[in-house]
Amino acid sequence: MCGIVGYLGNRQAAPILLDGLSKLEYRGYDSAGVCVYSDGELKVAKAKGRLANLSGLIDGGNALKGTFGIGHTRWATHGAPSDVNSHPHMADAGKIAVVHNGIIENYLKLKEELIRKGKHFRSETDTEVVANLIEYYYDKLQDFPRAVRRAVGQLEGSYAMGILCQDMPGTIIAVKKESPLIFGFGDGENFIASDVPAILKYTRKVVYLNDGDTVIFTKDKARFYDAFYDPVEKVPETIEWDIDAAEKGGYDHFMLKEIHEEPKAVKGTLSPRIRDGRVVLDDISLTKEYLQGLKKIYIVACGSSNYVGCLGKLILEKTCRIPVEPILASEFRYADPVLGEDTLVLIISQSGETADTKAALVEAKRQGARTLAIVNVVGSAIAKEADDVIYTWAGPEIAVATTKAFSTQLSVIYLIALYIADLLETIRPEEYRDLVAELMSLDQKIALCLTEDKIAQIRYYAEQYFNVHDAFFIGRNLDSAICLEGSLKLKEIAYIHSEAYAAGELKHGPISLIEEGTLVVAVATVEALFDKTMSNVKEVRARGAEVFGVTTEKFAEEIKKTIPSMITVPETHPLLQPSLTIIPLQIFAYHMALLRGCDVDKPRNLAKSVTVE
Ligand code: AGP
């Protein structure tokens, strides 16, 4: 996710901005830039790639003289990584400079209007639209704070922004909605930043801005305003963390931080693509005619992304009535698949760089299939190679074990399913409406899976089971597919031998492995199959298994008749239930790994992106 730093004081700004940005590198980025008020004008330096590229451009900051400015590390969402797309963005006449973290959902409409009003654009970004919108109002009002307020009032979406005006040296304005932004109180200097690590070296007195807040500050004074633009007093808090803890936002591990980011990541992926109750996919060009001729969908991926494909099979076949085959990328390439113009190959990859998946994509295109990628890293190899790409806006995922990227990939599957089913009219209008309504509340329901009570309950169960040697995950239908991911999490980070089986398959062999103390995680959220799964649980308990259950609140009492140890998740539309079921399984694996003294964020033998075949 992008990083913002702002400085205003008596010292040279550029070196402080570069230092602050270097403390935000862990957030992941693909370009960086600074803007400093120097010799009466706003001077910008920015570069694609690592921060060192930018630092080299300005001699470590010494080539850009000035005592106030803003800096940015960009995690591309709109527009591929490039010099011109990197921040800060200057407005057309060079009077306004902006750095931004977030997504402006109505930027295209605003851009069209601004072009009609004579503004010119250089980049593909939503942020440049904001800079020009502020400059447009500044030209009319000749008042920097009022211009910012008018412009921000027209923005839809999420933003944390630092803004400079060439005609108002010595003042920085910052605004915040949904994306994080803090204000740091210094002695004769003040700061803004996306996160504490950027300014911890200079001050520990900070304020976490609230949604709708605006701060207008100089080196000696800061005025805060709430969402109604009423002045508000902010009481600074003192950060006690060290720099390492600060990078994880106070969480012990990136994985835990990223699990807690799942509500926001899912919302950030879904909400820009649902407008007036309809799924709108501007990113792709799958026409009704093309879809009517579609005979098959392959879903090609590796690891957890493959398990999203296994879920995708059930979700897409149920809604679109098109045959769907999930297949491992490493197998697809050598399976001599039957491909053609009537085949859509859906490629799923968080990193967009997985070698097997990339090679499978090339093979699919060579054989004439249409390709659509679901990717988290903008401008990655797979994103560039596919005919169409839909980005998951999960932000950078640092932990090797995927969590929020998995959840956002699954969210995009829901969007694609509704998009296709709507065009093919294979879904009843009322079902479409129900699904869209549930998608809009999915982030809140995921958050309900992450309460302290829920986590404490899961941690308690992990304390009972962390010494097991083997674990089985069993479920049916969508629950069976989510067991694959729950099992992989346990393997990956807790190094426990774990297998996922369709519950109905146990009696065909695997049940011979059950012995006294074998851990069985039973996932039972599919209403029509609940009783059958409970029968399977009775079979394994009769053979000495320890069973831990996951079900919906609706079955909380019923499941206790068979499984005393269980966790419930809120209920949603059955097709969306996996987004909730996976959360306790992620938390369970996390605590099992902790209790076993494993390196949660960097598990042995694994890499975040497997760029070798
Ligand atoms: C998941 O926790 C693992 N890190 C791994 O299975 C991963 O999903 C797989 O390597 C695919 O990665 P990708 O999504 O970046 O292509």
Side-chain angles (χ1 to χ4, degrees), residues 130-426:
V130 179
N132 270 324
L133 188 59
I134 296 171
E135 188 179 77
Y136 171 76
Y137 282 116
Y138 179 70
D139 290 344
K140 285 167 74 82
L141 302 169
Q142 290 301 301
D143 180 312
F144 181 31
R146 285 181 60 212
V148 170
R149 189 179 175 193
R150 285 289 295 275
V152 166
Q154 285 185 256
L155 302 182
E156 293 169 15
S158 58
Y159 47 82
M161 293 192 284
I163 309 158
L164 302 181
C165 175
Q166 182 162 276
D167 298 347
M168 200 168 174
T171 296
I172 295 180
I173 296 180
V175 293
K176 185 256 191 239
K177 177 174 170 275
E178 294 179 16
S179 295
L181 193 63
I182 63 173
F183 182 86
F185 295 86
D187 181 5
E189 57 187 18
N190 285 315
F191 306 80
I192 53 170
S194 296
D195 203 355
V196 163
I199 58 174
L200 206 53
K201 180 176 170 182
Y202 308 102
T203 178
R204 287 184 174 269
K205 284 173 60 184
V206 304
V207 160
Y208 290 83
L209 297 182
N210 299 322
D211 280 353
D213 279 357
T214 297
V215 54
I216 302 173
F217 65 101
T218 65
K219 65 181 180 177
D220 302 310
K221 186 174 170 47
R223 287 174 288 143
F224 298 91
Y225 301 88
D226 66 14
F228 295 89
Y229 222 74
D230 292 333
V232 286
E233 280 306 308
K234 295 281 187 180
V235 178
E237 58 182 278
T238 303
I239 296 294
E240 305 299 346
W241 298 331
D242 62 22
I243 195 80
D244 180 52
E247 286 185 351
K248 301 181 184 80
Y251 291 102
D252 291 338
H253 299 92
F254 280 111
M255 182 179 176
L256 189 59
K257 175 171 177 269
E258 287 154 8
I259 289 171
H260 283 276
E261 287 174 345
E262 287 185 278
K264 180 166 173 286
V266 164
K267 183 180 182 193
T269 299
L270 287 171
S271 64
R273 293 151 170 155
I274 297 176
R275 291 177 218 147
D276 304 325
R278 311 295 304 170
V279 170
V280 178
L281 292 181
D282 297 330
D283 331 59
I284 62 175
S285 51
L286 296 182
T287 63
K288 182 169 184 170
E289 294 66 34
Y290 166 77
L291 293 169
Q292 284 171 332
L294 199 53
K295 293 291 179 291
K296 180 165 185 176
I297 298 174
Y298 278 104
I299 306 183
V300 179
C302 301
S304 296
S305 298
N306 169 251
Y307 299 149
V308 172
C310 296
L311 290 159
K313 169 186 173 58
L314 297 165
I315 293 161
L316 287 160
E317 286 187 347
K318 181 81 178 171
T319 51
C320 308
R321 310 312 294 160
I322 297 173
V324 178
E325 181 179 343
I327 182 169
L328 290 168
S330 54
E331 291 295 307
F332 177 81
R333 302 171 59 196
Y334 308 108
D336 195 12
V338 178
L339 300 176
E341 288 177 3
D342 59 2
T343 316
L344 173 65
V345 175
L346 202 44
I347 299 279
I348 305 179
S349 175
Q350 183 280 131
S351 62
E353 298 295 344
T354 300
D356 285 322
T357 309
K358 201 165 42 172
L361 168 57
V362 170
E363 176 61 13
K365 288 186 73 175
R366 189 184 68 79
Q367 294 203 36
R370 181 73 175 269
T371 57
L372 166 56
I374 301 175
V375 177
N376 194 43
V377 180
V378 175
S380 55
I382 288 171
K384 285 176 183 163
E385 180 68 29
D387 297 313
D388 281 307
V389 59
I390 298 180
Y391 286 114
T392 50
W393 286 321
E397 190 173 65
I398 311 297
V400 167
T402 185
T403 50
K404 64 176 183 174
F406 176 91
S407 293
T408 54
Q409 289 169 347
L410 190 51
S411 301
V412 171
I413 289 289
Y414 302 142
L415 292 171
I416 293 171
L418 284 171
Y419 178 85
I420 295 175
D422 183 35
L423 283 176
L424 296 181
E425 298 174 23
T426 49

Side-chain angles (χ1 to χ4, degrees), residues 116-136:
R116 276 199 294 277
K117 291 181 184 296
K119 286 295 181 187
H120 301 94
F121 290 84
R122 307 170 189 87
S123 80
E124 309 158 78
T125 67
D126 52 349
T127 308
E128 189 184 12
V129 174
V130 179
N132 270 324
L133 188 59
I134 296 171
E135 188 179 77
Y136 171 76

